[in-house]
Amino acid sequence: MLSKEDSRRLAQLERQLRRDDPDFCARMGGGNFSVPTPRPPLALFFLAAATAVAAILVAAAGWWIAAVVVAVWSVVTAIAAGYRLRRFRSR
């Protein structure tokens, strides 16, 4: 019989394992755990496009430093979307 503290710790370890490796838990637990289906990162692509348009508008207004900051943010977002898309397609 486990003590209350041991039961709490075991439940915490189970939650962490489900979060870290749901495929392993599904194999070991008879498929009781659902594995989330991956989705393409469309929201990141839309965000990158919107920030690129914002960078153009800010540059047209003459705020060059702000335009550079927004453009860099747009590029970083586009790179993150591309990275996630590559991971999505490799599954």
Side-chain angles (χ1 to χ4, degrees), residues 22-34:
D23 293 329
F24 174 78
C25 291
R27 287 191 308 269
M28 292 295 121
N32 293 336
F33 307 112
S34 64

Side-chain angles (χ1 to χ4, degrees), residues 13-36:
L13 288 171
E14 287 174 353
R15 283 192 303 272
Q16 182 178 358
L17 182 60
R18 282 186 203 140
R19 185 177 57 245
D20 292 344
D21 197 358
D23 293 329
F24 174 78
C25 291
R27 287 191 308 269
M28 292 295 121
N32 293 336
F33 307 112
S34 64
V35 177

Side-chain angles (χ1 to χ4, degrees), residues 52-63 67:
V53 170
I56 292 169
L57 293 175
V58 170
W63 297 341

